[in-house]
């Protein structure tokens, strides 16, 4: 590799002795939400993965509290939902969005903004899953443990310092932050999960577009024992307003996170928010004048809305905040990164394992970028609708979508088609590009949803009289060594997958003789209402060749 090919992330990236060399199909850089989920999903698809995270462990900051039900669907399929629930999500009161004069003031109410789901949202008609409210510092160890149990090689305390993005592969230099030891990694692909300030994105000269910086915020973390002063109020975000404090408050155990807006023209956050002022702000926000407060951290933070101009460059793919950032209103940011990971992981796994051709990976940018743009615009509009915040001039007006459609109805229209990017999942079309509609099935005595099946590979769901398609799927799977399973959805006699509520014909939009092919991320690749003829094997082989860019 010539020196010119390297893209450096640190001042002395390629200096020092290389201690070792290793190879991996996929190197993930960044071990927070998006990186850990990418590693977990890749491992579920049976692919070896190496992850490098510069911090010695998972995030110690509570950050993202809200994981939406679509994310929990992905966790179900990846086998971590039970562990996430066991980690202790909080139950919420009201909408979970508190407006209060102070956290202890009787003068408070639950914000009921337009399009908010509310804490008691019921998705049972569209999903087997539900939201979960828990802190990122509680979730990440669960993701880490499961990814490692599946064989992912997670290197904490390890930093990417340089990489070269060549047509044949990515070469990366990792540095152990404790010892300085360097390792050269030969990777098939590099996933940049290195956050909003992604140095990888920067070195690849990928710009971003969107409204940009919406506000500057000092994120103040303090420790204080509130005892039972909150009188059992359970909320995700408190919007507090009184003469001594105006801003957003979160309480996680004995830690209180205060977000206060400031103008950089007035000075640096560190100067504007010395410890004594932070103590006063915490007392005003809680409404407890003599509260014992320990200031832990003051971090300047920008609420930003921006999407990368492209999510891929050669063999490098951006996921999560590296690809898109959005305001916290609506809790879309971290969730969107997890959804990126699900879309990318199966593609990387199938290409790396030889089941698909490289053009399959082109679909990542084509499918995820439009959804990230819609979601970012919704987050900006939600911030205005919920908190009355103005946007920079030039920000386009966006009509708020109902959240059920945004969470479960986003689509990946196949190339050459112009279907909608968002549909109402309560009235699914069942067309290629849509998430497979949720229908309860009983398979081998196990109660599963159609949206639970992706982690087992591709799935062909045939109608009650479509057994020929299911047999063709099994035959193609055997012939190609492909993880593809055929099921016949019928009643107790007619199918191996029992349609518990008899909803499949209506939800799938296919005939009893037809079939629906579902990708390993739960999205529909193809469907037919035609009965399987003698050429069913050839028809299906052709569909798979097109879907997977495989010969
Ligand atoms: C106050 C607040 C509330 C929020 N609430 C929500 C919410 O309710 N729901 C929601 O969905 N989102 C929410 N978000 C957004 C969410 O926190 C982020 O979208 C999410 O953390 C992004 O995860 P990520 O893995 O993409 O990036 P990050 O969390 O930024 O992680 C990037 C990682 O990459 C590592 N890294 C960077 N460079 C290197 C390198 N060279 N080598 C090795 N490692 C490297 C970093 O150390 C870091 O761990 C909120 C954000 C804030 C600030």
């Amino acid at each position: 590799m010539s020196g010119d090919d390297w893209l450096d992330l640190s001042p002395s990236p390629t200096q020092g002795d290389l201690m070792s060399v290793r190879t991996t199909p996929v190197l993930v850089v960044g071990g927070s939400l998006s990186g850990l989920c990418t590693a977990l999903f890749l491992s579920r698809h049976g692919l070896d993965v190496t992850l490098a995270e510069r911090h010695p462990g998972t995030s110690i900051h509570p950050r993202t509290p809200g994981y939406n039900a679509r994310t929990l669907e992905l966790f179900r399929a990846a086998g971590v939902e039970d562990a996430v629930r066991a980690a202790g999500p909080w139950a919420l009161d009201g909408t979970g969005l508190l407006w209060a004069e102070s956290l202890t003031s009787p003068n408070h109410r639950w914000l009921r903004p337009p399009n908010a789901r509310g804490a008691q949202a019921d998705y049972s008609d569209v999903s087997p899953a539900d939201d979960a409210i828990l802190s990122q510092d509680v979730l990440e160890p669960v993701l880490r443990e499961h990814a490692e149990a599946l064989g992912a090689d997670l290197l904490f305390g390890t930093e990417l310092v340089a990489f070269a993005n060549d047509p044949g592969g990515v070469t990366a230099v990792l540095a152990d932050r404790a010892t300085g030891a360097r390792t050269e990694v030969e990777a098939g692909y590099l996933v940049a999960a290195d956050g909003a300030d992604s140095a990888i994105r920067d070195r690849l000269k990928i710009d971003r577009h969107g409204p940009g910086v919406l506000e500057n915020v000092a994120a103040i973390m303090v420790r204080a024992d509130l005892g039972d002063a909150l009188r059992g109020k359970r909320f995700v975000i408190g919007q507090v307003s009184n003469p001594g404090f105006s801003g957003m408050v979160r309480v996680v155990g004995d830690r209180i996170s205060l977000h206060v807006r400031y103008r950089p023209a007035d000075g640096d956050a560190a100067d504007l928010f010395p410890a004594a002022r932070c103590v006063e702000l915490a007392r005003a926000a809680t409404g407890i004048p003599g509260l014992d407060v320990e200031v832990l951290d003051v971090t300047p933070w920008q609420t930003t809305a921006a999407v990368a101009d492209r999510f891929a460059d050669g063999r490098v793919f951006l996921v999560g905040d590296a690809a898109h950032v959005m305001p916290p209103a609506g809790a879309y940011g971290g969730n969107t990164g997890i959804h990126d990971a699900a879309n990318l992981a199966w593609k990387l796994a199938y290409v790396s394992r030889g089941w698909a051709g490289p053009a399959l990976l082109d679909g990542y940018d084509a499918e995820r970028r439009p959804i990230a743009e819609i979601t970012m615009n919704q987050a900006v509009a939600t911030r205005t609708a919920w908190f009355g915040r103005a946007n920079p001039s030039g920000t386009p007006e966006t009509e708020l979508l109902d959240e059920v459609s945004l969470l479960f109805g986003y689509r990946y229209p196949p190339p050459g088609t112009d279907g909608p990017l968002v549909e109402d999942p309560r009235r699914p079309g069942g067309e290629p590009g849509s998430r497979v509609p949720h229908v309860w099935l009983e398979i081998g005595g196990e109660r599963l949803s159609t949206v639970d099946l992706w982690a087992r590979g591709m799935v062909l769901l045939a109608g009650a009289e479509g057994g020929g398609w299911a047999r063709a799927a099994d035959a193609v799977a055997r012939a190609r060594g492909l993880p593809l399973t055929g099921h016949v959805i019928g009643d107790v006699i007619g199918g191996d997958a029992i349609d518990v509520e008899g909803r499949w014909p209506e939800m799938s939009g296919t005939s009893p003789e037809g079939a629906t092919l579902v990708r390993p991320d739960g999205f529909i690749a193809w469907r037919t209402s035609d009965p399987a003829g003698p050429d069913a094997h050839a028809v299906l082989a052709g569909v798979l060749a097109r879907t997977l860019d495989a010969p």
Side-chain angles (χ1 to χ4, degrees), residues 70 99 102 109 117 130 209 227 232 269 289 298 308 366 425 467 503-504 536:
R70 174 64 190 147
W99 180 91
S102 77
R109 60 189 160 83
R117 284 157 283 163
D130 208 345
H209 58 275
V298 179
R503 297 202 320 153
W504 178 249

Side-chain angles (χ1 to χ4, degrees), residues 452-467:
D452 291 336
L453 301 175
W454 64 270
R456 301 171 184 214
M458 301 190 87
V459 183
L460 183 130
L461 301 172
E465 290 157 38

Side-chain angles (χ1 to χ4, degrees), residues 9 29-35 52-55 63-67 136 140 158-161 193-196 236 248 250 259 301 319-322 328 331-337:
L9 280 73
V29 173
S32 185
L33 262 190
S34 311
E53 163 57 50
R54 65 156 65 106
H55 288 120
R63 294 199 294 173
T64 305
Y67 300 93
Q136 201 162 324
E140 287 187 3
T158 303
E159 187 170 28
L160 174 78
V161 292
D194 55 342
V236 198
M248 200 181 82
R250 289 187 55 215
H259 278 208
W301 187 67
V319 297
D321 278 18
Y332 299 122
N335 286 288
T336 307

Side-chain angles (χ1 to χ4, degrees), residues 374-407:
I374 288 177
T375 311
M376 173 194 72
N377 288 329
Q378 287 295 309
V380 171
T382 299
R383 172 176 171 271
T384 304
W386 289 13
F387 303 118
R389 297 279 208 281
N391 294 315
S393 62
T395 303
E397 289 282 316
T398 305
E399 194 182 328
L400 281 179
L401 294 169
D402 87 276
E403 281 214 309
V404 173
S405 296
L406 187 59
L407 298 188

